[in-house]
Amino acid sequence: MAAKKHQQKFSLSRRAKSFIHSFHGIKLLIKEEHNARIHLLAIVLVIIAGIFLNISRFEWIAVVLAMGLVLTAEILNTSIENLADFISPERNNRIKKVKDLAAAGVFVAALAAFITGLIIFAPKFIRLFS
């Protein structure tokens, strides 16, 4: 029989602390992950382009979802890599496979975001420069 999870009453202070942990994770991501900083720079540039080119509300929704997808994939990839390194600090082909798959997830998310950006921004830049 599986152990029951200890049930606690709802606590606003515990909920607030969970946000603190989330913000700490974001801080760690920015501080320690070079690829995350590259993604954040791309996000800043996309936001500037979106404002400058006055993209529509629906285009903003697509852009925000794409940005969120990439950052989420990067966070999950980083988590998997850290856990894998903790479990097996030495070289291990099975751990390498897990890490490669997690990295592929970031690549797929970034590629989808790039294509989304092309669909939204390319026609606007073409019109701007023609």
Side-chain angles (χ1 to χ4, degrees):
M1 185 161 139
K4 286 187 177 180
K5 208 175 184 182
H6 179 64
Q7 297 292 323
Q8 295 179 344
K9 289 185 176 182
F10 178 80
S11 165
L12 198 56
S13 66
R14 278 197 297 274
R15 293 306 96 216
K17 285 182 184 176
S18 72
F19 282 103
I20 292 168
H21 295 303
S22 298
F23 290 124
H24 180 70
I26 291 169
K27 180 180 166 186
L28 283 172
L29 185 77
I30 294 167
K31 181 180 176 188
E32 296 180 4
E33 297 302 317
H34 299 287
N35 288 340
R37 285 185 240 144
I38 292 167
H39 292 306
L40 289 171
L41 175 62
I43 286 171
V44 169
L45 295 174
V46 166
I47 290 171
I48 291 168
I51 292 168
F52 177 73
L53 296 170
N54 197 29
I55 64 175
S56 74
R57 177 181 294 170
F58 293 111
E59 290 169 329
W60 274 115
I61 291 169
V63 166
V64 168
L65 287 173
M67 292 185 301
L69 176 67
V70 172
L71 281 182
T72 299
E74 186 65 49
I75 290 165
L76 293 173
N77 177 54
T78 299
S79 299
I80 289 167
E81 286 184 350
N82 278 275
L83 185 58
D85 289 343
F86 176 76
I87 290 170
S88 181
E90 67 284 343
R91 180 147 174 82
N92 179 313
N93 285 334
R94 288 173 34 194
I95 293 293
K96 180 187 180 315
K97 181 179 178 181
V98 169
K99 291 168 95 174
D100 287 351
L101 287 167
V106 177
F107 176 75
V108 169
L111 184 61
F114 179 75
I115 292 168
T116 301
L118 279 178
I119 292 167
I120 292 171
F121 290 105
K124 294 179 185 330
F125 278 115
I126 290 169
R127 257 185 266 124
L128 185 67
F129 293 111
S130 43

